[in-house]
Amino acid sequence: MNIYTGGSFNLFHEGHVELLEYCRKLAGDGQVIVALNTDDFIARFKGKAPTMTYSQRRAVLLSCKYVDNVIPNYDGEDSKPSILDAKADMIVIGMDWLDKDYCKQMSFNSEWLNKNKIALCYVPRTTGTSTTKIKEIVKNG
């Protein structure tokens, strides 16, 4: 089974590891493919450039034992091309997205998922760690 997850993965932390470990468990003998947001997309979406460049974030992800491949999320707001390129059987995302409209943000809906035979799975987040929290700690000492 090919598992797709995506994001910025800026300042790689234990919450990212936890998500990727879930992906690995779900993939079994299949692949875990991470669609990594480009620097341009992050600047547009978050209003500022990422702390680490795309190539730096990609290198960190590829060093993670749970990740098989990293591809660019080259269409930014529309993740469908990256999802299809990954030949995803399942999209895995953290439970923190449950109250947000993840499908809308990724520019797909349940009909598109069903048509392409792709499942969407929300996995628990237990660490509470986030890049935003890390940046706040660094900023405030």
Side-chain angles (χ1 to χ4, degrees):
M1 178 180 303
N2 283 347
I3 301 296
Y4 169 101
T5 194
S8 298
F9 293 90
N10 198 14
L11 300 180
F12 195 74
H13 56 73
E14 66 181 333
H16 294 138
V17 174
E18 181 180 54
L19 171 67
L20 296 169
E21 183 178 14
Y22 273 109
C23 290
R24 169 54 47 217
K25 287 177 183 173
L26 291 166
D29 292 335
Q31 296 228 324
V32 174
I33 300 134
V34 178
L36 185 59
N37 291 331
T38 64
D39 295 343
D40 290 341
F41 172 72
I42 294 170
R44 278 196 323 274
F45 183 70
K46 297 191 177 191
K48 58 186 171 187
T51 305
M52 296 170 58
T53 66
Y54 178 89
S55 62
Q56 291 169 325
R57 293 178 288 120
R58 183 176 188 277
V60 170
L61 282 166
L62 286 171
S63 73
C64 179
K65 67 182 179 180
Y66 304 122
V67 174
D68 295 300
N69 196 10
V70 177
I71 62 173
N73 181 22
Y74 52 83
D75 274 1
E77 292 83 354
D78 184 359
S79 296
K80 293 188 300 286
S82 295
I83 294 166
L84 293 174
D85 283 353
K87 296 179 176 40
D89 298 300
M90 181 182 292
I91 299 166
V92 176
I93 193 69
M95 196 71 81
D96 54 317
W97 282 94
L98 195 56
D99 294 332
K100 304 170 191 173
D101 194 344
Y102 179 74
C103 292
K104 182 178 179 182
Q105 179 173 325
M106 303 298 281
S107 297
F108 58 72
N109 56 30
S110 58
E111 291 83 21
W112 184 85
L113 290 170
N114 287 335
K115 176 184 162 199
N116 290 285
K117 297 181 172 114
I118 300 170
L120 176 61
C121 177
Y122 292 90
V123 296
R125 284 192 60 178
T126 59
T127 66
T129 303
S130 72
T131 299
T132 302
K133 287 181 182 177
I134 293 171
K135 285 182 176 181
E136 286 174 15
I137 291 168
V138 170
K139 181 179 176 183
N140 297 325

